[in-house]
Amino acid sequence: MVYAIVKAGGRQEKVSVGDVVVVDRLSGDAGDTVELPALLLVDGEKVTTDATKLAKVKVSAEIVRDEKGPKIIILKFKNKTGYRKRQGHRQQLTRLKVTEIK
């Protein structure tokens, strides 16, 4: 079992070949290939954490599509003053499919 911990969109994700991961929006169109920096690599029994060896590791992923996250509602209310404020937010996301770890 080969998997890697990569940094993607400000978070760390555990990925292996064929996994589909949702990360914060990345620039690029559907079908483009992106390289993700590896922080840790597990290849069977061997675990690699050395930064110089990890610099040679390439985790390639293909952009499947751009999408939006769930709607989040922000409500602000102050008692007895008539102050109410409602705001919504949907996070911009990118769906990636991991194609190669080498």
Side-chain angles (χ1 to χ4, degrees):
M1 182 70 173
V2 176
Y3 67 89
I5 306 293
V6 297
K7 186 171 184 175
R11 291 189 299 255
Q12 295 178 5
E13 300 279 346
K14 176 183 173 183
V15 297
S16 58
V17 176
D19 284 354
V20 176
V21 199
V22 178
V23 298
D24 287 342
R25 180 64 57 94
L26 297 174
S27 61
D29 297 326
D32 289 350
T33 302
V34 294
E35 298 285 330
L36 302 173
L39 303 175
L40 180 125
L41 177 69
V42 177
D43 187 6
E45 295 292 320
K46 189 169 72 169
V47 177
T48 306
T49 58
D50 186 28
T52 56
K53 292 180 183 176
L54 287 173
K56 299 174 188 171
V57 173
K58 292 189 179 186
V59 179
S60 300
E62 179 183 345
I63 297 176
V64 178
R65 67 174 180 261
D66 291 331
E67 53 189 49
K68 289 184 179 181
K71 182 108 177 183
I72 297 173
I73 304 297
I74 299 107
L75 295 172
K76 294 182 180 180
F77 174 80
K78 291 196 178 179
N79 197 13
K80 300 178 185 175
T81 62
Y83 175 76
R84 291 182 190 143
K85 185 175 181 181
R86 180 178 171 185
Q87 181 181 1
H89 176 75
R90 291 187 75 182
Q91 186 67 32
Q92 303 291 317
L93 303 172
T94 300
R95 186 173 295 265
L96 300 174
K97 182 174 184 181
V98 179
T99 56
E100 185 179 37
I101 299 176
K102 68 173 183 175

